[in-house]
Amino acid sequence: MTQHTQETQALRIVIIGAGMAGILSGIKLREAGYNNFIVYEKGDALGGTWRENTYPGLACDVPAHLYTYSFEPNPDWSHVYAPGPEIRAYFENVAKKYGIVDSVRFGEEISSCEFIDGRWQIRMKSGKTDQADVIIAASGVLHHPNIPDIPGLASFRGACFHSAAWDHSVPLDGKRVGVIGTGSTAIQITTALVDRVAKFKLFQRTAQWVLKLPNQEYDANERAAFAKDPKKIEALREELDQFFGTFSAAVIDAESPQMKQIEADCLANLEETVKDPVLREKLRPNYRAACKRLIMSPNFYEAIQHPNAELVTTGIDAVEPTGIRTKDGILHELDVLVLATGFRADRFIRPAVVHGRGGVDLDKVWEDHPVAYLSISVPDFPNFFMLNGPNGPVGNFSLIRIAELQLHYILQLLEKLHTGECREISADHKAAIEFEKARTEAAKKSIWATGCKSWYLDKHGVPASWPWSTTRFDQEMAAPKFEAYEAVS
Ligand code: NAP
């Protein structure tokens, strides 16, 4: 990427969000010579999802050495799968090291972005305003909690909160704790809490496929070896990349032998680990493995067999002041109720209002489902680029790797602006429509479309994800096809 001179630094860039992708944007923009940027962050600290999620058991099920910026390896990861607080500290340290923190304005939530007379006019909830030539939306995928519509929820007299808004003032030890949901979050909470609480009830609507992935600790010698020789980390990343490459290839082809192997491994985990045949049947999924996001856990099946634990599979009728009443009439009395009920994955930058050229409303464009050319750019929204935007490879690779590739691509679009080749650039209508048509067709062959319900699906049941290989994604991100863009001089 070209390093720019002083006069090229005038391009004013606003980054939305100071999570993994926002920090990355700041680092890479500065590296490319774009110093005139600012990051608006609605929270009071860095880290995005790793700031918001603080639930017990929080970890990342992507191996830590892969869930790392490629340019900033970390020899100090404590485990193969790092705990959440360590990941948050990593992002904070990287942001400090690269001098990004001073460019972040905390507590500033964007309420609107309007493209007027060739510039973005930005308004914050605080009333503050700003202007930008370019917006990079790094606002994350899963950050709007899904609060279930269960009758009586508000009547519960104990503590009740969503997993992404954990109330740490609420005591758990010796309490009766109920968790609704069996996604990756609920499974991590289960393994962390079963032996701390008096009674743990997991309310399962749908059984999950669980792949057993042991989580070894890196001892001091291994960490010292990584620090001494960064090539060791590089070699490990390559090895892990290969493993995840297999997974990525499997999910886009439901009938692939790799997919069958993953299913067989999960089934073996269930058969070998769960002793009680009744419990085993309750935990047996009736859809294809990895149709929902695969659960990767070293010990979920062990945890749910703990004497304190109970798996409740009868449907929830209502929440009452003292607990959950299931459809069989049983009242499950609880002190604490956790809603591990996931997120509204189709929100992206919204509820911020975004109006593009000629007042085009993003909400209207996305009325049916969110779309974007290569998940980065929307026609009529010039100089507005998204990281981990709609229909990207959320279900198959590390989001950090995706964001790095996308940013590399976006920098090439910025090049056109700063050289003055054009003043406005956004995906061309025809290219965006053709891309979405091809993507939708391919998505129907993926594992996510094999008949389960998940946050990967849009309201028509079509997977909202990148349906092709990692190689194809790498190739697309290597260089923009400028003929797919509308450039206004
Ligand atoms: P999720 O996967 O969307 O799971 C939500 C759970 O809540 C599901 O089991 C769902 O049941 C249940 N649910 C929702 N509404 C309900 C209702 N009204 N009644 C009963 N049950 C209800 O959410 P998540 O576990 O928070 O995970 C979201 C995503 O975050 C994951 O897929 C993953 O991408 C990411 N994540 C990653 C990690 C990691 O280690 N990398 C950890 C946590 C989360 P149904 O299945 O029946 O719909």
Side-chain angles (χ1 to χ4, degrees):
M1 196 58 50
T2 319
Q3 174 77 32
H4 301 137
T5 55
Q6 187 61 34
E7 104 255 14
T8 65
Q9 293 171 10
L11 214 52
R12 167 91 175 145
I13 302 171
V14 159
I15 300 165
I16 305 178
M20 172 278 287
I23 295 168
L24 171 74
S25 303
I27 295 170
K28 290 291 165 187
L29 284 175
R30 186 165 291 154
E31 196 178 282
Y34 297 101
N35 288 314
N36 189 8
F37 68 85
I38 194 157
V39 187
Y40 288 113
E41 167 53 57
K42 69 176 177 195
D44 58 1
L46 301 167
T49 196
W50 302 103
R51 177 201 67 229
E52 282 179 13
N53 285 280
T54 59
Y55 60 78
L58 175 72
C60 182
D61 60 15
V62 175
H65 282 286
L66 269 193
Y67 199 78
T68 308
Y69 296 127
S70 61
F71 55 89
E72 198 53 45
N74 174 21
D76 296 325
W77 291 121
S78 67
H79 288 79
V80 171
Y81 302 96
E86 232 177 272
I87 300 172
R88 181 177 171 183
Y90 168 80
F91 288 122
E92 282 175 345
N93 290 337
V94 174
K96 272 188 210 131
K97 177 174 169 184
Y98 286 81
I100 300 303
V101 188
D102 287 347
S103 302
V104 183
R105 299 291 169 271
F106 293 103
E108 291 290 2
E109 181 170 352
I110 305 282
S111 55
S112 68
C113 306
E114 292 180 272
F115 194 72
I116 300 170
D117 294 334
R119 284 203 107 193
W120 285 100
Q121 307 295 327
I122 296 159
R123 189 171 287 280
M124 262 62 77
K125 269 199 170 161
S126 64
K128 202 175 159 201
T129 58
D130 201 349
Q131 295 192 342
D133 301 298
V134 174
I135 292 180
I136 297 182
S139 46
V141 187
L142 299 173
H143 62 116
H144 296 287
N146 171 43
I147 305 298
D149 188 14
I150 301 175
L153 190 58
S155 72
F156 184 61
R157 281 206 301 265
C160 175
F161 43 81
H162 188 270
S163 56
W166 197 276
D167 184 347
H168 290 276
S169 71
V170 173
L172 300 170
D173 299 283
K175 301 290 178 192
R176 297 163 303 177
V177 177
V179 174
I180 301 179
T182 48
S184 306
T185 301
I187 298 310
Q188 291 181 343
I189 295 171
T190 302
T191 57
L193 287 192
V194 280
D195 56 2
R196 272 184 63 186
V197 300
K199 187 76 201 165
F200 183 91
K201 296 205 180 197
L202 184 64
F203 293 85
Q204 170 185 290
R205 187 164 69 180
T206 312
Q208 288 277 13
W209 289 94
V210 184
L211 191 62
K212 194 179 187 82
L213 284 185
N215 190 11
Q216 295 96 344
E217 199 172 335
Y218 290 118
D219 64 27
N221 289 336
E222 286 169 298
R223 297 206 297 265
F226 283 139
K228 199 168 154 217
D229 181 6
K231 285 211 177 72
K232 281 198 165 31
I233 298 183
E234 214 25 69
L236 178 61
R237 278 173 67 92
E238 268 168 37
E239 198 185 300
L240 291 168
D241 246 343
Q242 281 199 350
F243 173 80
F244 275 82
T246 308
F247 182 71
S248 305
V251 288
I252 55 169
D253 178 4
E255 301 314 319
S256 63
Q258 296 97 319
M259 200 65 254
K260 302 245 159 79
Q261 188 57 49
I262 288 170
E263 199 157 300
D265 292 346
C266 292
L267 216 45
N269 184 24
L270 176 69
E271 302 293 351
E272 286 161 19
T273 322
V274 182
K275 305 293 171 221
D276 172 5
V278 177
L279 179 63
R280 200 187 305 136
E281 289 322 300
K282 286 182 175 178
L283 288 166
R284 191 184 299 279
N286 60 1
Y287 55 92
R288 298 283 310 273
C291 181
K292 284 172 180 288
R293 189 176 194 277
L294 200 65
I295 305 292
M296 296 178 242
S297 172
N299 57 346
F300 169 63
Y301 286 148
E302 286 82 353
I304 200 67
Q305 294 175 89
H306 189 283
N308 291 346
E310 183 183 337
L311 182 75
V312 181
T313 54
T314 309
I316 296 172
D317 192 31
V319 176
E320 298 186 5
T322 56
I324 290 182
R325 175 96 50 195
T326 41
K327 289 196 191 300
D328 50 11
I330 294 174
L331 176 66
H332 302 265
E333 289 189 298
L334 301 168
D335 303 304
V336 181
L337 174 56
V338 179
L339 309 172
T341 43
F343 299 86
R344 297 183 61 194
D346 63 346
R347 301 302 290 154
F348 296 101
I349 189 178
R350 297 175 292 176
V353 169
V354 186
H355 286 169
R357 191 188 285 133
V360 178
D361 183 350
L362 191 65
D363 248 345
K364 283 257 156 55
V365 176
W366 285 359
E367 201 165 25
D368 189 68
H369 68 286
V371 285
Y373 175 64
L374 292 175
S375 104
I376 285 178
S377 173
V378 183
D380 292 331
F381 291 78
N383 311 350
F384 178 88
F385 308 118
M386 290 174 283
L387 293 171
N388 285 309
N391 313 318
V394 285
N396 16 6
F397 1 144
S398 154
L399 290 192
I400 299 188
R401 184 174 184 281
I402 300 165
E404 284 194 27
L405 290 165
Q406 290 174 329
L407 200 63
H408 170 75
Y409 180 100
I410 291 169
L411 283 169
Q412 295 173 73
L413 299 177
L414 290 189
E415 189 80 9
K416 298 271 176 203
L417 299 174
H418 103 82
T419 56
E421 213 171 303
C422 62
R423 283 184 299 107
E424 301 175 10
I425 189 158
S426 52
D428 166 78
H429 281 271
K430 186 163 169 275
I433 290 167
E434 279 171 7
F435 168 76
E436 182 58 7
K437 195 163 162 242
R439 188 197 69 75
T440 312
E441 274 316 300
K444 289 177 187 162
K445 299 191 196 83
S446 69
I447 193 70
W448 310 298
T450 52
C452 68
K453 211 178 116 225
S454 81
W455 67 264
Y456 293 141
L457 303 179
D458 67 20
K459 69 179 182 196
H460 305 292
V462 177
S465 191
W466 178 264
W468 298 293
S469 66
T470 48
T471 313
R472 177 154 172 187
F473 187 73
D474 293 356
Q475 285 164 352
E476 287 284 5
M477 289 300 108
K481 294 180 183 113
F482 288 108
E483 63 277 18
Y485 282 85
E486 183 189 358
V488 176
S489 325

